[in-house]
Amino acid sequence: MEVRTRFAPSPTGYMHIGNLRTALYTYLIAKKGNGKFILRIEDTDQERYVEGAVDIIYRTLRTVGLNWDEGPDVGGPVGPYIQSERMGLFKQYAEELVAKGEAYYCFCDKERLTELKAVQEASGVNPMYDRHCRNLSKEEIDEKLAAGIPYVIRQKIPETGTTTFHDELYGDITVDNSTLDDQILLKTDGMPTYNFANVVDDHLMGITHVVRGNEYLASAPKYNLLYKAFGWEVPTYIHVEHIMKDKHNKLSKRNGDASFEDLMAKGYLSEAVINYIALLGWAPKGEREIFTLEELIEEFDINGLSKSPAIFDPLKLKAINGEYIRKLSPEKFLEHAAPYIKETVKREDVDIAKIAALLQNRTEVFADIPEQVDFIDEMPNYDLALYENKKMKTNADTALAALEESLPVLEAIDEADWKFDNIHDKLFELIAKLEVKNGYILWPVRVAISGKQFTPGGAFEIAEIIGKADTIARMKRSIEMLKNR
């Protein structure tokens, strides 16, 4: 039997990290089994529909390489793949269940249901439909239908006994049928509920494996009873745990937690994000954690999934992203980094490629770049305390002396010879002449021309990039600041 999995998001806005992980696991199961990965858009909840959200889904999946074999824009043998375009068939299946005695018409109005819920809550009873319409006679039903009284169709859950379903992570789970509500299958407007549409669509599309959050474990018995009522084969269930912000809080956009698009805007690589997301609830064999998507397909195993919540660790994501950045070719890194460099570097007389070369091994996320190079265009105001460096054994007094010794050495280099090697050689000649440690000269020069404690490169690299004129001007300014302190 062909493995067929589906990712069925609702177009309600951004792509949540948890949604993307579900899509990834679904994709990996399909590709591991040489099967088909299907994209289905579940847009029946029109109140929550967000314009442009379908495009976000398409763009996100394509960006991370989760290309679907069947879907709304590529077609396939079991379309349409947009749920709102499948509306005609759900009523047919709901009425089939009514005819089989597995569902029934419910004519209870909103007022009655609201009052019932209030009474049950006041009595400390778990709110459930009281099955008021479950045993209406055929004559009563026909009369109400003829009168045009609004109705829903409810699933007729067995009142006694138990229902058992199997999940690949949780094993066999048995529930008492008495705890299950007669859920609505078809609403008064003729639209199916989420749970009913899922079962029908999954069957008609031949879905063999269903990956979803474990909040749907409670609905699984009802799904199984629907499959049984229709005489359909039950798919393999994989209910995955939540991704948490910390031990007590789920990731949530409303709480400012990042969506996939937020991470892209912050300068993360899509390959690194998908790699990290794979590890949120799945443990590969061995110690290795860096995988391409193709390698994930080979390594992925349902048995490696965890029943414990995964905590989203921004520092680990950043570290993984840094590894991916370091593996980029210099040309590819420059392509990614250039827009971020240019956010603060507007000068046309500096070599962006040289700046990028200094940054690659010092960058974990591209959004950190602008602040690292914001001194190149203009020398920032800085605290003279930066000259205090215990490791280099420097302070403001030694820095002034070092800069006054270094300035004429640098001024003597011809403009045409203002290159890294020449700057390096001249300053090291000075260091040898003065018989001092390297840091005695190089730390003050670096601070004097950058105004920063941390820079992407040392004194030689910075001096070469900003040019002789700017280097000399900055050193003179810093000398005056030290004299006038």
Side-chain angles (χ1 to χ4, degrees):
M1 180 177 64
E2 181 183 57
V3 173
R4 290 175 63 83
T5 68
R6 52 79 171 167
F7 177 52
S10 298
T12 56
Y14 67 96
M15 178 69 86
H16 189 278
I17 292 298
N19 289 348
L20 185 55
R21 184 188 65 171
T22 298
L24 174 61
Y25 289 169
T26 303
Y27 175 87
L28 294 176
I29 290 168
K31 297 308 169 184
K32 179 85 172 183
N34 296 312
K36 295 287 196 304
F37 173 60
I38 293 126
L39 175 62
R40 184 173 76 222
I41 302 298
E42 299 196 338
D43 62 342
T44 54
D45 190 346
Q46 291 297 310
E47 290 183 4
R48 296 178 63 222
Y49 179 84
V50 173
E51 195 68 39
V54 172
D55 291 332
I56 291 175
I57 292 167
Y58 290 165
R59 185 168 61 248
T60 300
L61 294 180
R62 286 199 175 103
T63 297
V64 298
L66 304 185
N67 298 309
W68 47 102
D69 300 294
E70 300 172 25
D73 57 336
V74 299
V78 292
Y81 295 87
I82 296 180
Q83 208 166 60
S84 61
E85 296 176 9
R86 302 170 63 84
M87 287 302 98
L89 57 85
F90 295 112
K91 185 174 182 181
Q92 164 198 333
Y93 282 101
E95 290 176 341
E96 179 183 327
L97 290 179
V98 173
K100 287 182 172 183
E102 301 287 354
Y104 59 94
Y105 293 101
C106 173
F107 300 93
C108 293
D109 57 29
K110 186 176 181 180
E111 288 73 20
R112 181 182 184 279
L113 294 175
T114 300
E115 182 180 346
L116 172 65
K117 183 179 180 181
V119 170
Q120 289 175 329
E121 288 179 342
S123 304
V125 176
N126 188 37
M128 288 176 62
Y129 179 59
D130 63 357
R131 297 168 173 167
H132 177 73
C133 295
R134 181 167 169 138
N135 297 310
L136 293 176
S137 68
K138 185 178 184 305
E139 291 72 25
E140 289 175 302
I141 293 170
D142 290 343
E143 181 182 336
K144 291 179 184 295
L145 290 174
I149 297 175
Y151 67 87
V152 299
I153 294 180
R154 289 182 181 272
Q155 184 177 1
K156 186 179 282 187
I157 302 288
E159 295 183 83
T160 59
T162 61
T163 294
T164 299
F165 68 94
H166 180 78
D167 179 86
E168 290 299 294
L169 300 186
Y170 292 87
D172 289 337
I173 298 177
T174 300
V175 298
D176 289 325
N177 291 330
S178 61
T179 65
L180 304 177
D181 197 6
D182 282 6
Q183 68 174 342
I184 295 173
L185 305 179
L186 203 72
K187 296 181 282 189
T188 55
D189 59 4
M191 296 285 274
T193 56
Y194 174 84
N195 288 340
F196 183 54
N198 258 271
V199 169
V200 173
D201 279 345
D202 283 348
H203 169 73
L204 295 179
M205 292 184 175
I207 302 304
T208 59
H209 295 70
V210 173
V211 181
R212 59 185 173 223
N214 70 356
E215 67 268 26
Y216 290 103
L217 276 171
S219 302
K222 299 177 187 179
Y223 291 156
N224 269 34
L225 288 169
L226 283 173
Y227 280 106
K228 181 180 177 183
F230 280 119
W232 296 341
E233 187 171 348
V234 179
T236 299
Y237 293 131
I238 303 107
H239 289 86
V240 294
E241 258 291 358
H242 296 293
I243 300 175
M244 307 291 285
K245 182 176 183 176
D246 51 44
K247 289 184 178 180
H248 307 290
N249 301 291
K250 296 180 190 176
L251 278 182
S252 169
K253 177 71 170 179
R254 71 183 61 178
N255 293 332
D257 298 319
S259 68
F260 175 77
E261 291 205 325
D262 290 334
L263 294 176
M264 292 299 97
K266 290 177 181 177
Y268 285 87
L269 292 169
S270 61
E271 301 94 324
V273 173
I274 209 72
N275 187 155
Y276 177 63
I277 288 175
L279 303 175
L280 289 173
W282 171 71
K285 296 172 182 176
E287 300 299 315
R288 181 182 172 196
E289 291 189 320
I290 304 300
F291 300 94
T292 64
L293 185 57
E294 291 72 24
E295 290 167 340
L296 282 172
I297 292 171
E298 291 297 318
E299 291 288 330
F300 189 76
D301 186 341
I302 291 173
N303 293 325
L305 293 172
S306 173
K307 290 188 287 185
S308 300
I311 295 179
F312 188 89
D313 183 352
L315 293 179
K316 185 168 183 179
L317 170 58
K318 217 172 185 183
I320 288 177
N321 197 66
E323 289 203 40
Y324 273 83
I325 284 176
R326 288 187 287 277
K327 289 180 179 179
L328 292 174
S329 68
E331 295 77 19
K332 201 67 180 175
F333 178 79
L334 175 60
E335 182 183 323
H336 281 286
Y340 293 92
I341 294 172
K342 291 176 181 178
E343 282 185 27
T344 52
V345 178
K346 309 296 183 183
R347 290 171 59 167
E348 296 183 0
D349 64 330
V350 297
D351 189 337
I352 297 294
K354 285 185 177 179
I355 298 172
L358 298 179
L359 289 165
Q360 185 161 3
N361 289 329
R362 297 172 173 84
T363 301
E364 287 192 313
V365 58
F366 290 108
D368 292 342
I369 287 176
E371 188 178 358
Q372 293 187 65
V373 296
D374 60 2
F375 66 90
I376 289 176
D377 271 20
E378 187 177 351
M379 181 72 174
N381 292 320
Y382 67 94
D383 191 331
L384 295 179
L386 285 180
Y387 289 110
E388 301 281 345
N389 189 310
K390 290 182 180 179
K391 182 179 178 182
M392 306 295 181
K393 297 182 179 179
T394 62
N395 54 44
D397 291 328
T398 63
L400 176 58
L403 292 177
E404 288 182 327
E405 291 279 3
S406 303
L407 181 60
V409 169
L410 295 176
E411 285 179 316
I413 301 174
D414 289 340
E415 185 73 40
D417 295 329
W418 190 261
K419 307 291 183 186
F420 174 93
D421 289 342
N422 292 330
I423 301 167
H424 173 280
D425 292 347
K426 293 300 181 184
L427 286 180
F428 266 93
E429 285 175 12
L430 175 63
I431 290 168
K433 175 186 172 183
L434 297 177
E435 297 181 337
V436 293
K437 298 281 189 182
N438 296 349
Y440 179 89
I441 294 292
L442 300 184
W443 180 254
V445 172
R446 179 178 171 184
V447 171
I449 62 177
S450 72
K452 283 180 170 282
Q453 182 175 6
F454 303 106
T455 55
F460 314 126
E461 293 95 340
I462 295 170
E464 180 185 31
I465 286 170
I466 66 175
K468 178 179 178 179
D470 206 1
T471 298
I472 299 304
R474 293 184 182 198
M475 287 185 67
K476 287 181 176 178
R477 176 189 166 193
S478 294
I479 288 170
E480 287 304 310
M481 289 170 60
L482 287 165
K483 284 182 176 178
N484 296 327
R485 68 187 188 278

